[in-house]
Amino acid sequence: MLYPRMTEKRQKKPLDGVWKFQLDPSGKGVGERWPSQGIPSPIHMPVPSSYNDITTSEAIRDFLGDVWYETSTYVPSEWMTERIILRFGAVAHHAKVWVNGHFVTESHNGFLPFEADVTPFVNEEKMNRIVVKVNNELTWDMLPPGDVIEKVTEDGEIKRTLHQQHDFFNYAGIHRSVFLYTTPQTFIHSLNIGTDFNGETGIITGESESPPSAFVYYSLKDDQGEIIAERHGATTEIQVPEAEAWSPDNPYLYKLDVYLKDGEGTILDHYYLNVGIRKIEVKDEQLLLNGSPIYLKGFGKHEDAVIRGKGYDPVTNLRDMYLMKETGANSFRTAHYPYAEEVLQLADQLGFLVIDETSAVGLLSQGVPATGNLEPVFSNGKISSHLKEYHLDTLQRLIERDRNHPSVIMWSLSNEASTMEPEAEVYYKDLVELVRKLDDRPIMNVNLMLIEPEKCFVSKLVDIIGLNVYFGWYSTPGDLKAGTAELRNYLERWAKTHDKPIVITEYGVDTMPGLHKVPAVMFSEEFQVQFLEKYHNVFDEFPKVVGEQVWNFADFMTKQDTVRVDGNKKGIFTRDRQPKMAQYTLQKRWKSPLREGK
């Protein structure tokens, strides 16, 4: 679906703000007709945000089950002749939506948008009630997977807890912006814009899904608003001589206006996109941007901030972008789920290369045994056909949502799955075939450091190998000499086994801000600096390593655990976005010329 935009033919009304909110621990809301009568005992809750950290209530922070949101709004009279769409950027993890008591849609994906045509249910002359039921439970038929565990307490009550697979807090709520927007009755359904280069000539291809009774017109403008070319047809190709190439150093964006017209030339619909002309390819074990090798410097990130949790916030997002630029980064990975569309829009404008990842995190056994052996999840039926269909659907929806962003340079299928099982090859082969059918960007899969390159059944299927490495931290803890030796050996094995470029998608250590030790010890800022410096020296030994992304950009919240002190502290920045010593180490490296090809 297309992101809501205002044009002369389309209107939109943000519904962000303070909504009504109520827990429903016994699941009685539907039976008591809350969708039509309203929630009975609400408190206030901001949208977008995670509900967990807004109040001072432990019961709300750790709640598991159904919660309800409600808001009301008028709809302008001039909208009543148009299609009226209610759109949610993302609701975690399950959502059901009612408008004026009528059920209109549901979603079971906590990180992708969904919408409903609510035209038949909207009142013109009075307030319209919108009610949303949200559930944060996890199962092994969804991504990320998890289990709800029920135990009977000593007093006979049933206590329900969440056993999650992922190492970040299971924030929930209406996480991204909510819009009412309009389209004409005859409208542009979808757009697929591709770019390429032929010498210095940029090539833009366009494909529109629109009613057959209407005609599609394209108008390309430069950043000064001057028309460069005009074309018509459901599919088209526009050649741009001496095109400005989009890159991190020059994030030049053209504007592509797309019109839908009738036989007399009357405009029926109008939508526009920002287009960056660039070419991404994998060739000779290198990652090429516009024909030249590019080295990824950046971070794994999380949508995570103090108080608002995973709720989208333009202030925090822009702060993050500026801090990454100041550090010398040119890239980040959307670990471990699709990020808000507004994040990618800003990445287009500021020039970041984005590894776009699905929410497939934790497709491995519960915990990692001390022996390093992984218990099976594919061969023992833990990963079901339902989960596979969910994964395929997530991939398709992710690509259809994000394929028009020049910042998105590759698709990441999953993070740290059990890929040494033979059954994983069949599972991932279907994922890869779907991506190849939908888009031509490179494909990556990210591997846990316990995955042995000689035994991995998935890496041969993809274009780029992602590696998460923590030698000297989780193995040989505190011994950086032994850790870097293990790292070198591990990379040598991957480079020998697979003729593919490698991106180090995670490396880092937990670091308590303000803890200083000489000589360095684990958790001190000095240890974090030394860890990064030694790892960088090893990376530079391997031509196949085409990128390094530190884990993590900023400290982030996790569930309570004996190995976490108020969350994961691997950030280069604190959770409130202040630098640790390591930020200057990265800045010195990333803003200085690296060796050939890097």
Side-chain angles (χ1 to χ4, degrees):
M1 62 187 73
L2 297 175
Y3 184 82
R5 293 194 186 278
M6 288 274 290
T7 68
E8 76 277 18
K9 293 297 182 180
R10 293 174 174 238
Q11 301 294 318
K12 71 176 181 179
K13 177 182 175 69
L15 298 181
D16 295 354
V18 177
W19 290 38
K20 296 178 181 179
F21 174 87
Q22 185 171 337
L23 303 182
D24 185 12
S26 59
K28 62 184 180 181
V30 173
E32 294 188 355
R33 301 177 64 189
W34 293 4
S36 59
Q37 297 185 2
I39 57 181
S41 303
I43 64 172
H44 296 95
M45 189 61 63
V47 170
S49 75
S50 302
Y51 62 73
N52 308 83
D53 293 345
I54 303 299
T55 75
T56 59
S57 168
E58 181 180 346
I60 292 178
R61 182 196 66 192
D62 299 332
F63 183 77
L64 185 63
D66 293 342
V67 304
W68 292 75
Y69 288 81
E70 179 186 337
T71 192
S72 297
T73 186
Y74 283 104
V75 172
S77 297
E78 58 267 27
W79 284 25
M80 303 311 292
T81 59
E82 305 293 290
R83 294 175 68 249
I84 302 174
I85 312 299
L86 176 61
R87 186 186 197 270
F88 294 81
V91 179
H93 294 283
H94 312 273
K96 292 189 174 183
V97 183
W98 292 262
V99 174
N100 294 326
H102 300 277
F103 174 74
V104 295
T105 189
E106 64 183 314
S107 169
H108 298 285
N109 191 308
F111 302 98
L112 289 172
F114 63 100
E115 64 183 22
D117 185 339
V118 298
T119 311
F121 312 114
V122 170
N123 298 317
E124 179 179 0
E125 298 179 352
K126 59 182 180 179
M127 292 282 274
N128 296 274
R129 175 186 285 132
I130 300 170
V131 177
V132 186
K133 180 167 75 79
V134 180
N135 182 281
N136 65 344
E137 297 174 6
L138 301 175
T139 73
W140 270 85
D141 286 338
M142 60 182 290
L143 299 172
D147 295 290
V148 175
I149 310 298
E150 294 187 351
K151 293 183 179 180
V152 179
T153 63
E154 293 181 357
D155 54 8
E157 293 184 359
I158 296 178
K159 182 178 181 181
R160 304 173 75 245
T161 57
L162 182 68
H163 194 172
Q164 63 186 60
Q165 294 286 108
H166 52 277
D167 185 29
F168 50 93
F169 194 87
N170 191 50
Y171 281 116
I174 301 178
H175 279 162
R176 298 174 190 164
S177 290
V178 184
F179 292 102
L180 280 172
Y181 76 94
T182 69
T183 74
Q185 297 296 335
T186 303
F187 65 100
I188 300 166
H189 291 243
S190 68
L191 290 169
N192 183 6
I193 306 302
T195 67
D196 202 347
F197 274 99
N198 182 9
E200 295 183 355
T201 300
I203 301 172
I204 299 174
T205 57
E207 181 179 355
S208 171
E209 181 186 348
S210 305
S213 60
F215 302 92
V216 182
Y217 289 79
Y218 299 87
S219 177
L220 184 69
K221 299 180 178 70
D222 63 20
D223 63 354
Q224 301 301 309
E226 296 293 326
I227 296 176
I228 298 174
E230 294 180 307
R231 299 287 188 275
H232 62 85
T235 60
T236 193
E237 180 178 298
I238 301 174
Q239 296 197 11
V240 184
E242 299 180 352
E244 287 272 3
W246 184 96
S247 72
D249 295 327
N250 181 43
Y252 188 95
L253 294 173
Y254 295 86
K255 183 187 178 189
L256 184 65
D257 287 291
V258 184
Y259 298 94
L260 202 60
K261 298 182 181 182
D262 64 16
E264 298 179 355
T266 301
I267 296 176
L268 304 174
D269 192 14
H270 173 206
Y271 192 82
Y272 68 89
L273 287 170
N274 292 320
V275 177
I277 301 177
R278 59 100 181 96
K279 182 176 184 177
I280 290 289
E281 57 186 330
V282 173
K283 187 176 181 180
D284 298 329
E285 301 176 359
Q286 293 292 304
L287 177 65
L288 304 182
L289 173 64
N290 303 326
S292 299
I294 184 77
Y295 189 80
L296 302 183
K297 304 170 289 184
F299 299 96
K301 284 184 90 275
H302 265 299
E303 288 186 314
D304 174 277
V306 176
I307 299 177
R308 58 184 55 87
K310 290 199 177 305
Y312 173 73
D313 172 47
V315 176
T316 302
N317 182 41
L318 191 54
R319 171 73 171 174
D320 288 358
M321 297 285 189
Y322 285 146
L323 289 175
M324 288 193 291
K325 280 289 184 182
E326 177 64 21
T327 308
N330 64 9
S331 67
F332 61 89
R333 176 169 62 122
T334 70
H336 301 296
Y337 38 82
Y339 286 4
E341 292 149 288
E342 294 86 352
V343 174
L344 300 180
Q345 291 165 10
L346 202 55
D348 294 341
Q349 296 166 23
L350 296 181
F352 283 99
L353 305 170
V354 179
I355 299 173
D356 208 355
E357 188 162 276
T358 74
S359 50
V361 52
L363 299 182
L364 73 170
S365 57
Q366 298 277 3
V368 178
T371 60
N373 296 321
L374 295 173
E375 297 176 0
V377 289
F378 289 93
S379 61
N380 68 1
K382 188 74 172 179
I383 294 180
S384 66
S385 60
H386 295 290
L387 186 143
K388 183 177 180 180
E389 289 303 315
Y390 187 107
H391 201 161
L392 288 165
D393 179 69
T394 296
L395 257 177
Q396 177 160 342
R397 291 170 60 191
L398 173 67
I399 292 171
E400 290 174 349
R401 190 196 74 165
D402 295 346
R403 60 191 175 191
N404 295 325
H405 290 282
S407 58
V408 175
I409 61 165
M410 70 181 79
W411 310 109
S412 176
L413 302 179
S414 67
N415 180 76
E416 298 190 342
S418 183
T419 56
M420 292 192 294
E421 298 180 54
E423 293 79 3
E425 181 174 351
V426 177
Y427 181 98
Y428 277 87
K429 184 178 180 180
D430 289 343
L431 299 180
V432 170
E433 288 180 354
L434 175 65
V435 178
R436 302 282 190 217
K437 177 181 177 182
L438 296 173
D439 194 75
D440 60 359
R441 289 172 177 83
I443 302 173
M444 167 188 280
N445 192 59
V446 176
N447 294 289
L448 178 75
M449 70 185 227
L450 293 178
I451 299 300
E452 300 179 46
E454 303 85 357
K455 299 180 181 179
C456 180
F457 286 94
V458 173
S459 292
K460 63 184 178 182
L461 304 175
V462 301
D463 304 304
I464 297 178
I465 296 170
L467 298 179
N468 297 345
V469 286
Y470 296 96
F471 303 105
W473 183 254
Y474 290 125
S475 70
T476 61
D479 188 342
L480 292 182
K481 182 177 181 180
T484 51
E486 287 183 326
L487 172 66
R488 183 177 291 106
N489 176 262
Y490 192 60
L491 293 181
E492 286 174 347
R493 291 167 59 198
W494 277 101
K496 179 180 178 180
T497 307
H498 299 278
D499 296 327
K500 301 175 186 291
I502 297 168
V503 174
I504 308 299
T505 39
E506 292 183 23
Y507 65 109
V509 295
D510 284 86
T511 304
M512 296 302 297
L515 177 61
H516 297 283
K517 291 286 185 177
V518 178
V521 299
M522 295 176 69
F523 296 98
S524 69
E525 293 200 41
E526 286 79 6
F527 188 85
Q528 187 180 37
V529 167
Q530 291 181 17
F531 179 95
L532 295 178
E533 289 177 341
K534 290 184 179 297
Y535 265 53
H536 293 156
N537 290 337
V538 176
F539 298 163
D540 289 344
E541 297 174 13
F542 292 88
K544 288 185 179 180
V545 173
V546 299
E548 58 195 47
Q549 293 186 327
V550 178
W551 189 258
N552 191 282
F553 167 72
D555 296 343
F556 59 92
M557 187 52 62
T558 64
K559 65 179 181 179
Q560 296 188 67
D561 196 289
T562 54
V563 299
R564 300 287 180 229
V565 183
D566 191 37
N568 190 306
K569 293 295 190 293
K570 290 188 177 68
I572 299 302
F573 295 88
T574 63
R575 201 174 182 217
D576 59 357
R577 274 51 180 183
Q578 298 304 320
K580 301 176 188 177
M581 285 175 55
Q583 190 262 347
Y584 304 101
T585 299
L586 292 174
Q587 186 181 62
K588 181 180 179 181
R589 172 176 172 83
W590 289 350
K591 286 194 170 184
S592 299
L594 295 173
R595 67 183 177 84
E596 183 72 21
K598 296 207 173 190

